[in-house]
Amino acid sequence: MGVMTAIGQTAYYGTWFLKELLGIKRPLATTMIITYHCNLRCKHCQIADGLPMVPQPHSISYQAAVEEMQASYERGARVLFFEGGEPTSWRDGERTLRDLILAGREVGFFVTGYTTNGTNVLYPESDVISVSLDGPKEVHDAIRCEGVFDKLMANLQTIDHPNVFANMVVMPENQHLVRETAQIVKDNPHMNGLMLNFLTPPPESRVLSMEEKRRVVEEVIALKKEGYPILNSNKALHELLMEDYSERCPFWASEFVLPDRSKCYGCPMRGEACKRCGFNAVREYSLITRGNIATIMSMAGRFGLSTK
Ligand SMILES: C[S@@+](CC[C@H](N)C(=O)[O-])C[C@H]1O[C@@H](n2cnc3c(N)ncnc32)[C@H](O)[C@@H]1O
Ligand code: SF4
């Protein structure tokens, strides 16, 4: 990315922030759930198809996705994330996720990204790739499916990309394996960061107690001090321990587009689940909209500015 592009993008964010202070609330990021299809049935996930809560249609068309990207861009969003289901399972005829990533860039988004279980092809055209990693092989496969860990590691070997990070959801099965997971990321040259989240219910049975969460947060802060590549900002880690985060959710900054083209702000979860949100990204967004300099600095390079 050229210096002028970086200056232009930084200026855009600065203007967005000033407008936000003046009460002009516009989205900054768009998450498109492009499909509910998924090749896995992870124990902690209620999103994939086959589950009763998933509405029709299961996937958005290419044409509709591009129209929605343009509309989001016009509303102000500059960061575009593809989610699912499994985004790499998305198809429209011959078109794949790669075409959506390229379309997002064409529309003008500064940054494109997606989260994947890593069992399919990885698309290096994306500025950011988030791979789910819920622990060492044994526990990752117990949560996700036999063989998933090895497939993920093999696929990571196929790309040389500067911005691949691991996304871990901490739950009873892996709460004592955070250090081991951080070590896997540190030792793997194809990943350069680990972001930790707590589970957002349902399922209730996989939510940690506040005491357990506190212990995990203390461990993560210690790991950061030891030099492990943890992406959560310290402030966000502390805010993961707040009992009810719904009041702090910067819902206007983060819009969601669903496969049926419906939209919502914040995320599709509402009510109890929203109050007990365990997503770290929500804390980082919240801190950014509150002008927290340390968070802005740590997040901007990785998630805010073009890498191409
Ligand atoms: C819904 S998945 C979609 C992308 C892709 N299929 C994957 O597994 O990475 C996105 C992320 O949400 C996480 N996730 C699923 N259910 C969750 C829950 N109840 N609470 C918090 N995170 C959850 C997954 O582990 C994954 O890292
Ligand atoms: S791979 Fe992702 S979408 Fe599929 S079941 Fe697992 S967490 Fe859910």
Side-chain angles (χ1 to χ4, degrees), residues 36-42 44-48 84-86 117 132 144:
Y36 293 118
H37 289 303
C38 187
N39 56 329
L40 303 182
R41 294 288 179 275
C42 304
H44 63 299
C45 177
Q46 308 284 304
I47 299 175
E86 175 50 41
N117 61 34
S132 290
R144 291 186 163 256

mmCIF file of all heavy atoms in Angstrom, residues 36-42 44-48 84-86 117 132 144, ligand 2:
data_model
loop_
_atom_site.group_PDB
_atom_site.id
_atom_site.type_symbol
_atom_site.label_atom_id
_atom_site.label_comp_id
_atom_site.label_asym_id
_atom_site.label_seq_id
_atom_site.Cartn_x
_atom_site.Cartn_y
_atom_site.Cartn_z
ATOM 1 N N TYR A 36 -25.237 -20.198 5.266
ATOM 2 C CA TYR A 36 -25.327 -20.984 6.509
ATOM 3 C C TYR A 36 -24.801 -22.393 6.288
ATOM 4 O O TYR A 36 -24.713 -23.163 7.222
ATOM 5 C CB TYR A 36 -26.781 -21.067 6.992
ATOM 6 C CG TYR A 36 -27.355 -19.739 7.453
ATOM 7 C CD1 TYR A 36 -28.446 -19.173 6.813
ATOM 8 C CD2 TYR A 36 -26.816 -19.075 8.553
ATOM 9 C CE1 TYR A 36 -28.982 -17.963 7.242
ATOM 10 C CE2 TYR A 36 -27.343 -17.863 8.978
ATOM 11 C CZ TYR A 36 -28.425 -17.319 8.313
ATOM 12 O OH TYR A 36 -28.941 -16.127 8.741
ATOM 13 N N HIS A 37 -24.451 -22.726 5.033
ATOM 14 C CA HIS A 37 -23.943 -24.082 4.780
ATOM 15 C C HIS A 37 -22.610 -24.270 5.494
ATOM 16 O O HIS A 37 -21.797 -23.352 5.566
ATOM 17 C CB HIS A 37 -23.720 -24.308 3.280
ATOM 18 C CG HIS A 37 -25.000 -24.420 2.523
ATOM 19 N ND1 HIS A 37 -25.958 -25.352 2.825
ATOM 20 C CD2 HIS A 37 -25.478 -23.715 1.481
ATOM 21 C CE1 HIS A 37 -26.982 -25.207 1.985
ATOM 22 N NE2 HIS A 37 -26.722 -24.209 1.178
ATOM 23 N N CYS A 38 -22.423 -25.471 5.970
ATOM 24 C CA CYS A 38 -21.154 -25.759 6.623
ATOM 25 C C CYS A 38 -20.892 -27.253 6.560
ATOM 26 O O CYS A 38 -21.811 -28.057 6.677
ATOM 27 C CB CYS A 38 -21.169 -25.289 8.067
ATOM 28 S SG CYS A 38 -19.539 -25.470 8.811
ATOM 29 N N ASN A 39 -19.624 -27.602 6.372
ATOM 30 C CA ASN A 39 -19.246 -29.012 6.319
ATOM 31 C C ASN A 39 -19.020 -29.595 7.706
ATOM 32 O O ASN A 39 -18.804 -30.791 7.836
ATOM 33 C CB ASN A 39 -17.975 -29.179 5.464
ATOM 34 C CG ASN A 39 -16.826 -28.312 5.970
ATOM 35 O OD1 ASN A 39 -17.043 -27.236 6.527
ATOM 36 N ND2 ASN A 39 -15.608 -28.750 5.781
ATOM 37 N N LEU A 40 -19.064 -28.753 8.751
ATOM 38 C CA LEU A 40 -18.845 -29.252 10.113
ATOM 39 C C LEU A 40 -20.081 -29.012 10.979
ATOM 40 O O LEU A 40 -21.004 -28.281 10.573
ATOM 41 C CB LEU A 40 -17.637 -28.560 10.752
ATOM 42 C CG LEU A 40 -16.290 -28.676 10.013
ATOM 43 C CD1 LEU A 40 -15.205 -27.978 10.823
ATOM 44 C CD2 LEU A 40 -15.914 -30.128 9.770
ATOM 45 N N ARG A 41 -20.096 -29.604 12.136
ATOM 46 C CA ARG A 41 -21.152 -29.373 13.127
ATOM 47 C C ARG A 41 -20.460 -29.237 14.494
ATOM 48 O O ARG A 41 -20.520 -30.149 15.313
ATOM 49 C CB ARG A 41 -22.140 -30.553 13.183
ATOM 50 C CG ARG A 41 -22.955 -30.752 11.921
ATOM 51 C CD ARG A 41 -24.025 -29.647 11.769
ATOM 52 N NE ARG A 41 -24.781 -29.841 10.532
ATOM 53 C CZ ARG A 41 -24.404 -29.392 9.346
ATOM 54 N NH1 ARG A 41 -23.272 -28.708 9.209
ATOM 55 N NH2 ARG A 41 -25.148 -29.607 8.291
ATOM 56 N N CYS A 42 -19.788 -28.122 14.691
ATOM 57 C CA CYS A 42 -19.002 -27.955 15.920
ATOM 58 C C CYS A 42 -19.932 -27.915 17.134
ATOM 59 O O CYS A 42 -21.056 -27.409 17.043
ATOM 60 C CB CYS A 42 -18.175 -26.680 15.834
ATOM 61 S SG CYS A 42 -17.139 -26.670 14.376
ATOM 62 N N HIS A 44 -20.039 -26.214 19.777
ATOM 63 C CA HIS A 44 -20.412 -24.949 20.420
ATOM 64 C C HIS A 44 -21.196 -24.027 19.500
ATOM 65 O O HIS A 44 -21.535 -22.919 19.886
ATOM 66 C CB HIS A 44 -19.148 -24.216 20.878
ATOM 67 C CG HIS A 44 -18.242 -23.831 19.729
ATOM 68 N ND1 HIS A 44 -17.670 -24.746 18.888
ATOM 69 C CD2 HIS A 44 -17.828 -22.611 19.293
ATOM 70 C CE1 HIS A 44 -16.935 -24.115 17.990
ATOM 71 N NE2 HIS A 44 -17.015 -22.819 18.212
ATOM 72 N N CYS A 45 -21.467 -24.460 18.248
ATOM 73 C CA CYS A 45 -22.008 -23.527 17.255
ATOM 74 C C CYS A 45 -23.464 -23.825 16.916
ATOM 75 O O CYS A 45 -23.828 -24.963 16.668
ATOM 76 C CB CYS A 45 -21.152 -23.598 15.995
ATOM 77 S SG CYS A 45 -21.773 -22.549 14.679
ATOM 78 N N GLN A 46 -24.259 -22.773 16.869
ATOM 79 C CA GLN A 46 -25.687 -22.910 16.566
ATOM 80 C C GLN A 46 -26.027 -22.326 15.199
ATOM 81 O O GLN A 46 -27.190 -22.103 14.890
ATOM 82 C CB GLN A 46 -26.514 -22.141 17.618
ATOM 83 C CG GLN A 46 -26.170 -22.483 19.047
ATOM 84 C CD GLN A 46 -26.739 -23.819 19.457
ATOM 85 O OE1 GLN A 46 -27.937 -24.054 19.363
ATOM 86 N NE2 GLN A 46 -25.873 -24.713 19.903
ATOM 87 N N ILE A 47 -24.987 -22.017 14.401
ATOM 88 C CA ILE A 47 -25.244 -21.231 13.197
ATOM 89 C C ILE A 47 -25.422 -22.084 11.945
ATOM 90 O O ILE A 47 -26.231 -21.767 11.088
ATOM 91 C CB ILE A 47 -24.094 -20.213 12.985
ATOM 92 C CG1 ILE A 47 -24.049 -19.269 14.183
ATOM 93 C CG2 ILE A 47 -24.299 -19.418 11.698
ATOM 94 C CD1 ILE A 47 -22.892 -18.298 14.161
ATOM 95 N N ALA A 48 -24.657 -23.158 11.853
ATOM 96 C CA ALA A 48 -24.620 -23.890 10.582
ATOM 97 C C ALA A 48 -25.969 -24.473 10.193
ATOM 98 O O ALA A 48 -26.840 -24.688 11.031
ATOM 99 C CB ALA A 48 -23.591 -25.010 10.687
ATOM 100 N N GLY A 84 -20.049 -17.116 8.048
ATOM 101 C CA GLY A 84 -21.038 -18.139 7.745
ATOM 102 C C GLY A 84 -21.610 -18.704 9.027
ATOM 103 O O GLY A 84 -21.492 -18.060 10.077
ATOM 104 N N GLY A 85 -22.059 -19.888 8.936
ATOM 105 C CA GLY A 85 -21.677 -21.019 8.097
ATOM 106 C C GLY A 85 -20.181 -20.984 7.768
ATOM 107 O O GLY A 85 -19.410 -20.318 8.430
ATOM 108 N N GLU A 86 -19.855 -21.745 6.764
ATOM 109 C CA GLU A 86 -18.465 -21.774 6.327
ATOM 110 C C GLU A 86 -18.349 -20.966 5.031
ATOM 111 O O GLU A 86 -18.806 -21.419 3.973
ATOM 112 C CB GLU A 86 -18.010 -23.227 6.142
ATOM 113 C CG GLU A 86 -16.623 -23.387 5.569
ATOM 114 C CD GLU A 86 -15.552 -22.564 6.280
ATOM 115 O OE1 GLU A 86 -15.552 -22.470 7.512
ATOM 116 O OE2 GLU A 86 -14.698 -21.983 5.581
ATOM 117 N N ASN A 117 -13.091 -22.363 8.953
ATOM 118 C CA ASN A 117 -12.644 -23.519 9.750
ATOM 119 C C ASN A 117 -11.366 -24.122 9.155
ATOM 120 O O ASN A 117 -10.790 -25.042 9.731
ATOM 121 C CB ASN A 117 -13.757 -24.564 9.881
ATOM 122 C CG ASN A 117 -14.226 -25.133 8.551
ATOM 123 O OD1 ASN A 117 -13.460 -25.290 7.617
ATOM 124 N ND2 ASN A 117 -15.517 -25.463 8.481
ATOM 125 N N SER A 132 -10.237 -20.595 12.598
ATOM 126 C CA SER A 132 -10.672 -21.030 13.925
ATOM 127 C C SER A 132 -9.731 -22.101 14.452
ATOM 128 O O SER A 132 -9.429 -23.074 13.769
ATOM 129 C CB SER A 132 -12.092 -21.593 13.855
ATOM 130 O OG SER A 132 -12.980 -20.546 13.605
ATOM 131 N N ARG A 144 -14.631 -29.935 16.985
ATOM 132 C CA ARG A 144 -14.993 -29.675 15.577
ATOM 133 C C ARG A 144 -15.281 -30.963 14.806
ATOM 134 O O ARG A 144 -16.397 -31.170 14.391
ATOM 135 C CB ARG A 144 -13.902 -28.834 14.917
ATOM 136 C CG ARG A 144 -13.920 -27.434 15.521
ATOM 137 C CD ARG A 144 -13.019 -26.433 14.915
ATOM 138 N NE ARG A 144 -13.506 -25.126 15.361
ATOM 139 C CZ ARG A 144 -14.188 -24.291 14.611
ATOM 140 N NH1 ARG A 144 -14.412 -24.565 13.357
ATOM 141 N NH2 ARG A 144 -14.637 -23.154 15.109
HETATM 142 S S1 SF4 B 2 -17.238 -24.695 11.144
HETATM 143 FE FE1 SF4 B 2 -17.925 -22.652 11.830
HETATM 144 S S2 SF4 B 2 -20.045 -22.427 11.118
HETATM 145 FE FE2 SF4 B 2 -19.470 -24.598 10.896
HETATM 146 S S3 SF4 B 2 -20.277 -25.528 12.737
HETATM 147 FE FE3 SF4 B 2 -18.130 -25.004 13.134
HETATM 148 S S4 SF4 B 2 -18.148 -22.919 14.035
HETATM 149 FE FE4 SF4 B 2 -20.175 -23.314 13.117
#
